[in-house]
Each structure stands twice: as structure tokens, then as C-alpha cells.
């Protein structure tokens, strides 16, 4: 009995070490192959350091002469983030529950999950370009673009929270004669609410960051003037814009982190 | 009088292991029945089937009737089972309260099965329902904790809240699955007193699974003992004697250990052989 079990164990161990070695070899091969594909050239940083110093010099001192416009556009950016997140939360609640395998049968959660995967897999910049064509230039296109991708992300996160619940309370509600929807409302939602709030606030933070970029394709907010400044080689203005973005994003991150801590 | 609970030919198989064999049981109105047996004997499984929380086998699964209405036949739940459950109060070993809701809110959930669906879904409980919930809480002696979060209560208190939920539900039958298994002796006594009181004063039918036979003998007149998924004994608790109990628990426990060991060993060596070859 003992010899029978130890012999295959030793065999197993040596097999595992070979597998591990092969895994590392494969990883190194992929890294080397990608180095050439990505045209990695760290020496360029040293070779062209003179150019870069001149380039960096152009950024300073930052030119804040248009600060009122910058701030106004930055506020629009935050407003885009706010609405896109809100719409996404509203849609992600039912969709997240329909993605949870402990709540619905596979023929519901499989298609809904694939749909959410599609929402997530396409970057918000791509959606922004599409919506600029559909609804015209401006912040609303940005809202729609961020809304779609955020719905995909939040539905997945919400579903994961639902899948981690304690089934006991749900059964407790079921035993009272409640309907399936009532089981979810009274048995599931109270358990996942703190996590849902925390995830939503986190997505709001990320959406403020993303909203600065969607503007670059004409979907409103600070991104539009940032893109114009870069294209016009107005680096002192670019620098001022970047500082405004960093400040606002930091403030929002800190505030939302504080709020999130209340719910965990 | 016709039976409140009628189980006929119930068979249940989990994977390849059969948990209940051709089980029959009949409980009359107003009875308080103890369901006893070693762990794995099928008592909890039987109770879950009574409330339609589990389904019996599709082929030759038998049938369950509660209060004259079919709960399940041949592994198919009655389409109206959600409404039927309103008449069947269920007490769980782990209480199964919603931790983040208040005690009162948890008791109010007991009304869900009897109110219009839209009103229950919106959580709009009437003042009459709130009063009923407070009365139920008062009866289990926890009225002053009504506004606390359920998670802040001790185990014994949580179990009493769960009983209040079943009271508020106005269930005719109360099924209690190991209600005192995770409680200290004092809380256990209180919980059993309340269940016995509901049986005596309100005339509700109570079926309670118990590990501790002394509780069964003290609170219930009738006991049904399960062994290996079959009814091993059904009669007055007075006639339970040490010799019988030893047979019910001791022997069964040893046999199951031996069997499990024997069943595991050949499979383990077969696995080892297969690994050695590969």
C-alpha cells in the first residue's frame, strides 16, 4: 500500500518540475519574441536624451492663461463620468443578477455573460468614435460610450458578488413562500449591497479618468482641448491641462475612497 | 381526520448514493413529532422535501402531500409550491436570517407568502402586518430588540427570531431542521419550549429533527427514527430504550465508518496503480 502510493508520488513530483521548467522556458521565448515585435529600444532613451530634454523644456512653465476654459471642460468631464456611471449601475443591477450562476439557469447566464463580455472587450475609445458618428460631437457621445463599457464591467463585478453570497438567507426567504424576485430583493441584495456600492464608486473614479480620454475623439470634455493643444504643439498649455486633470482626478479618487471605506 | 403530512414511497438519490428508500410517513393535525437518527440517516433530507426545498427522484420518486395539497410528485414540484410554502413554516439549523436587515424586517418577511406580490416586492408592509410581526416577536420574548440588526443577536436569539418569522407567516405546519443543534443548552431549552408552546396552545403541527434524544423524549410524544434512509421506528417516545438507541446510533456509526473505509481502499489502490503506469 505504502510503496504503491509513494512511487507515483515521486514520479509525479519530477513530472511537475519538468512542467514548471517548460513553463518558464515558454514564457521567456514569448517575451523575447515580443521584444522584437514591439521594437523595444531602451537605448533610444539615452541616444535621443538631448531631444527629449528640449521637448520636456517646452512644457515649462505651464501656461494657465486659459484656466477658466480648462476648469469648465474638466467639470464637463466629471459630469460625463457621473451620468455614464449612474446609467451603468441601473443597467448592471438586473444584468449582474442574470449573470450569476447561483440565481439563474445556464441558458440565461451564458448569453447575458457573453453580451457583457462584448460590452467590456471593446474599448470605450472605439465606442466613443462610433457614438460621435451616431449622436454627433459632444459630451453625450462620451456618456454613451462610457455607459456601455462600464455596464459590462459592473455587471461582471456585481455577478461575482452575488455568486459569493451565503445561500442560507435566500432559502430562509424562500421558505416563507416568497416569489423568486422577492428572494433576490430580500435574500440576495442586502448581502451584496456594500460590495456593489464600493464597486460602483470605484468605477466612477475610473470613469473620470476615462472621460478625459474619450474627449480626444470629439466626445466632449477636457479631452477635446487637450488633443487640440497637443496637435498644435502648445506644450505649455498641454502641461497646464495635465496638471488640472491630475488635480481633479486625485481629489475625486480621495473623496470616493473615503466614501467607499464607509461601506466595507 | 385526514393527515396533515402524507409521504408515500419517497425515494431520493444524490448522485449514486440513495438517501431515502421508499419512505412513508403520515402526521396527524396537532401532533408534535421528533425525527431522530444518526447524521446521514436522511432526516434533514426528508424535511427539505416536505417544504419543497428539494425534489425527490424523477422516476419512482413518490409523492408528498401537506395540508391536503400536493407539494411534489415524482420529482416535480407543484406549480403553486411558492404559495404552499406560506402554510409551511421552516426553521433552519443555521437560522437563515438576513443579517443586514433588522430583526423586525426579518420577521416581516414571513408575511411575503400571504400578501399581494407587488406589495411584498416593494417591501410595503401594512401596519396590521407590522403589528402581527411585533406580536410574534413579543411571544418569543425579543420585542425590545426589534430594531437591531439581526447579525448583532446571539445564536439562540436569532433562532427565536426565525421562529417569530414562522409565527408571523401563520404557518399551519412548522418544520424545524435541527433547530437546537448549534445552540447552548439554555437557548436550546428556550427554543424547544417555544416550539412546544406553539404546538400546545395554537394547535400547530410540528415536526422537529433532533440529534439529542433526551430532548425528543421530553418535548415530543411521538418519535420517528430514520436509519439509512428508512423508517426504523415510529411510535411513542416512551418506548425508546437505551438498547434501541444504541442500535440506532452506535452500531450505525461503526458500520458506516467501516463501510466507507472498505469502499475507499480498493479505489485508492486502483488510482495509485493507474498513476504508476502513466
Amino acid at each position: 500500500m505504502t510503496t504503491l502510493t509513494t512511487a507515483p508520488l515521486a514520479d509525479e513530483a519530477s513530472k511537475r518540475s519538468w512542467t514548471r521548467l517548460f513553463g518558464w522556458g515558454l514564457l521567456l521565448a514569448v517575451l523575447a519574441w515580443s521584444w522584437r515585435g514591439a521594437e523595444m529600444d531602451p537605448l533610444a532613451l539615452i541616444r535621443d536624451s538631448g531631444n527629449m530634454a528640449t521637448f520636456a523644456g517646452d512644457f515649462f512653465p505651464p501656461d494657465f492663461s486659459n484656466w477658466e476654459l480648462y476648469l469648465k471642460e474638466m467639470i464637463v468631464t466629471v459630469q460625463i463620468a457621473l451620468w455614464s456611471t449612474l446609467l451603468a449601475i441601473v443597467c448592471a443591477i438586473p444584468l449582474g443578477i442574470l449573470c450569476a450562476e447561483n440565481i439563474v439557469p445556464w441558458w440565461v447566464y451564458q448569453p447575458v455573460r457573453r453580451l457583457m463580455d462584448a460590452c467590456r472587450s471593446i474599448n470605450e475609445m472605439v465606442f466613443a468614435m462610433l457614438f460621435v458618428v451616431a449622436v454627433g460631437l459632444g459630451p453625450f457621445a462620451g456618456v454613451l460610450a462610457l455607459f456601455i463599457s462600464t455596464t459590462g464591467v459592473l455587471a461582471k463585478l456585481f455577478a461575482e458578488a452575488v455568486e459569493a453570497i451565503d445561500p442560507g438567507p435566500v432559502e430562509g426567504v424562500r421558505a416563507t413562500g416568497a416569489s423568486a424576485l422577492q428572494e433576490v430583493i430580500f435574500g440576495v441584495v442586502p448581502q451584496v449591497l456594500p460590495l456593489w456600492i464600493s464597486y460602483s464608486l470605484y468605477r466612477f473614479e475610473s470613469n473620470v479618468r476615462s472621460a478625459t480620454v474619450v474627449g480626444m475623439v470629439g466626445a466632449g470634455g477636457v479631452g477635446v482641448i487637450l488633443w487640440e493643444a497637443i496637435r498644435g504643439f502648445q506644450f505649455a498649455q498641454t502641461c497646464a491641462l495635465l496638471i488640472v486633470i491630475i488635480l481633479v482626478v486625485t481629489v475625486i479618487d480621495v473623496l470616493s475612497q473615503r466614501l467607499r471605506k464607509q461601506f466595507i | 381526520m385526514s393527515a396533515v403530512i402524507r409521504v408515500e414511497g419517497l425515494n431520493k438519490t444524490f448522485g449514486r448514493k440513495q438517501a431515502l428508500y421508499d419512505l412513508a410517513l403520515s402526521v396527524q393535525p396537532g401532533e408534535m413529532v421528533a425525527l431522530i437518527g444518526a447524521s446521514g440517516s436522511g432526516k434533514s433530507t426528508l424535511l427539505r422535501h416536505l417544504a419543497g426545498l428539494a425534489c425527490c427522484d424523477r422516476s419512482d420518486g413518490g409523492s408528498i402531500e401537506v395540508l391536503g395539497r400536493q407539494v411534489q410528485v415524482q420529482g416535480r414540484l407543484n406549480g403553486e409550491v411558492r404559495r404552499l410554502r406560506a402554510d409551511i413554516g421552516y426553521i433552519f439549523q443555521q437560522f437563515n436570517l438576513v443579517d443586514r436587515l433588522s430583526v423586525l424586517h426579518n420577521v416581516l418577511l414571513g408575511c411575503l407568502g400571504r400578501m399581494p406580490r407587488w406589495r411584498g416586492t416593494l417591501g410595503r408592509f401594512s401596519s396590521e402586518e407590522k403589528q402581527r410581526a411585533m406580536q410574534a416577536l413579543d411571544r418569543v420574548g425579543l420585542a425590545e430588540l426589534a430594531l437591531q440588526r439581526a447579525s448583532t443577536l446571539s445564536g439562540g436569539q436569532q433562532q427565536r427570531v426565525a421562529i417569530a418569522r414562522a409565527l408571523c407567516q401563520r404557518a399551519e405546519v412548522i418544520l424545524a431542521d435541527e433547530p437546537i443543534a448549534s445552540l447552548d443548552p439554555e437557548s436550546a431549552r428556550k427554543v424547544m419550549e417555544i416550539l412546544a408552546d406553539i404546538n400546545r396552545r395554537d394547535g400547530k403541527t410540528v415536526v422537529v429533527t433532533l440529534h439529542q434524544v433526551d430532548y425528543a423524549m421530553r418535548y415530543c410524544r411521538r418519535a420517528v427514527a430514520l436509519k439509512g434512509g428508512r423508517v426504523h421506528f415510529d411510535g411513542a417516545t416512551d418506548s425508546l430504550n437505551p438498547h434501541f438507541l444504541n442500535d440506532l446510533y452506535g452500531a450505525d456509526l461503526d458500520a458506516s465508518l467501516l463501510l466507507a473505509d472498505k469502499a475507499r481502499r480498493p479505489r485508492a489502490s486502483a488510482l495509485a496503480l493507474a498513476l504508476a503506469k502513466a
Side-chain angles (χ1 to χ4, degrees):
Chain A
M1 190 76 188
T2 30
T3 45
L4 266 178
T5 44
T6 47
L9 270 182
D11 215 36
E12 184 89 323
S14 76
K15 208 192 316 175
R16 207 177 299 155
S17 74
W18 275 109
T19 319
R20 190 175 298 170
L21 210 64
F22 178 73
W24 281 109
L26 194 69
L27 179 67
L28 285 177
V30 170
L31 281 175
W33 175 64
S34 307
W35 179 278
R36 302 184 53 183
E39 295 182 22
M40 294 285 283
D41 188 8
L43 288 179
L45 289 171
I46 302 162
R47 233 182 296 123
D48 304 330
S49 57
N51 281 346
M52 275 189 289
T54 333
F55 178 58
D58 288 346
F59 278 73
F60 294 98
D63 173 11
F64 278 104
S65 53
N66 269 335
W67 68 271
E68 279 166 308
L69 173 70
Y70 300 165
L71 204 62
K72 203 185 103 208
E73 288 300 316
M74 195 60 217
I75 289 171
V76 172
T77 303
V78 176
Q79 288 167 330
I80 292 174
L82 198 60
W83 267 102
S84 58
T85 315
L86 180 72
L87 291 177
I89 293 170
V90 170
C91 292
I93 289 173
L95 287 168
I97 285 165
L98 293 178
C99 285
E101 60 186 24
N102 54 345
I103 304 290
V104 292
W106 68 269
W107 47 268
V108 174
Y109 71 74
Q110 281 298 351
V112 180
R113 274 189 195 175
R114 297 296 83 81
L115 182 69
M116 292 300 102
D117 285 350
C119 291
R120 268 197 318 275
S121 57
I122 298 165
N123 190 281
E124 52 248 23
M125 283 293 271
V126 180
F127 277 124
M129 285 189 265
L130 294 175
F131 278 117
V132 163
V133 179
V135 301
L137 289 167
F140 186 51
V143 171
L144 292 177
L146 288 178
F147 156 58
I148 301 248
S149 60
T150 311
T151 303
V153 175
L154 278 182
K156 184 187 169 75
L157 291 174
F158 284 6
E160 276 171 11
V162 170
E163 282 168 1
I165 60 164
D166 173 10
V170 184
E171 202 160 63
V173 176
R174 182 177 307 155
T176 66
S179 68
L181 180 61
Q182 287 169 350
E183 277 175 33
V184 171
I185 291 176
F186 297 108
V188 178
V189 171
Q191 290 191 61
V192 295
L193 201 59
L195 262 181
W196 281 10
I197 291 173
S198 158
Y199 287 149
S200 304
L201 281 168
Y202 176 68
R203 279 316 296 184
F204 174 61
E205 289 167 38
S206 338
N207 275 351
V208 175
R209 272 173 263 143
S210 305
T212 58
V213 204
V214 290
M216 291 197 171
V217 293
V222 78
V224 184
I225 44 178
L226 181 65
W227 182 230
E228 277 165 8
I230 294 174
R231 263 199 317 195
F233 303 106
Q234 308 284 333
F235 294 124
Q237 288 185 16
T238 307
C239 181
L241 273 165
L242 291 179
I243 290 172
V244 170
I245 292 173
I246 291 170
L247 278 179
V248 173
V249 169
T250 309
V251 167
I252 292 209
D253 272 17
V254 170
L255 285 180
S256 133
Q257 261 181 37
R258 286 245 176 111
L259 260 174
R260 265 198 294 148
K261 278 195 186 130
Q262 307 262 313
F263 292 102
I264 292 192
Chain B
M1 226 173 171
S2 67
V4 170
I5 298 173
R6 193 195 299 279
V7 179
E8 273 162 16
L10 191 66
N11 281 299
K12 173 65 180 183
T13 314
F14 290 110
R16 275 156 64 200
K17 194 181 174 305
Q18 188 154 358
L20 298 175
Y21 291 89
D22 202 24
L23 198 139
L25 177 73
S26 163
V27 178
Q28 299 302 313
E31 269 194 296
M32 178 141 176
V33 181
L35 212 51
I36 56 174
S39 38
S41 60
K43 4 184 240 305
S44 293
T45 308
L46 171 60
L47 217 59
R48 289 176 60 77
H49 280 80
L50 293 184
L53 294 175
C55 290
C56 58
D57 291 345
R58 281 294 171 97
S59 61
D60 199 23
S63 70
I64 292 175
E65 236 177 64
V66 176
L67 296 162
R69 287 171 301 178
Q70 214 103 49
V71 173
Q72 51 179 309
V73 189
Q74 309 290 5
R76 283 175 205 282
L77 289 174
N78 180 339
E80 287 285 295
V81 72
R82 287 185 182 276
R83 286 295 186 189
L84 291 184
R85 287 196 191 113
D87 288 322
I88 308 172
Y90 206 96
I91 315 286
F92 299 84
Q93 178 180 351
Q94 294 303 330
F95 331 128
N96 287 1
L97 301 180
V98 186
D99 274 352
R100 295 178 58 85
L101 298 182
S102 72
V103 167
L104 179 64
H105 204 155
N106 266 292
V107 178
L108 278 169
L109 294 184
C111 301
L112 286 177
R114 295 198 192 278
M115 52 203 283
R117 285 295 189 217
W118 68 269
R119 203 154 60 79
T121 304
L122 296 176
R124 298 183 66 89
F125 298 102
S126 70
S127 55
E128 187 266 327
E129 280 153 351
K130 282 179 191 157
Q131 228 165 10
R132 205 201 312 165
M134 280 310 292
Q135 277 165 6
L137 269 177
D138 193 42
R139 179 144 179 209
V140 298
L142 293 174
E144 71 278 14
L145 300 182
L147 297 179
Q148 277 194 31
R149 261 195 194 183
S151 55
T152 61
L153 271 57
S154 72
Q157 288 171 329
Q158 292 202 25
Q159 193 60 294
R160 279 145 71 197
V161 173
I163 295 177
R165 180 169 65 187
L167 279 173
C168 190
Q169 192 177 329
R170 291 181 170 162
E172 278 309 311
V173 184
I174 305 237
L175 308 176
D177 184 9
E178 302 279 359
I180 57 172
S182 16
L183 302 183
D184 60 273
E186 178 55 20
S187 302
R189 194 190 56 77
K190 262 188 204 158
V191 164
M192 285 309 292
E193 290 288 346
I194 295 170
L195 285 176
D197 185 62
I198 292 172
N199 169 253
R200 244 187 341 256
R201 270 209 288 159
D202 307 9
K204 311 271 190 201
T205 311
V206 177
V207 179
V208 51
T209 65
L210 290 169
H211 241 88
Q212 304 92 323
V213 182
D214 49 332
Y215 278 101
M217 295 172 87
R218 199 178 324 154
Y219 292 101
C220 308
R221 224 175 294 156
R222 176 180 168 199
V224 174
L226 296 190
K227 188 173 173 181
R230 298 173 213 264
V231 175
H232 187 62
F233 168 88
D234 185 350
T237 41
D238 304 339
S239 54
L240 295 174
N241 56 50
H243 176 72
F244 167 77
L245 292 174
N246 202 38
D247 175 45
L248 184 65
Y249 287 96
D252 188 59
L253 203 65
D254 286 347
S256 71
L257 273 177
L258 270 173
L259 267 179
D261 217 30
K262 259 185 203 155
R264 225 179 289 133
R265 217 166 264 158
R267 221 181 304 148
S269 30
L271 198 71
L273 268 174
L275 276 172
K277 272 182 201 160

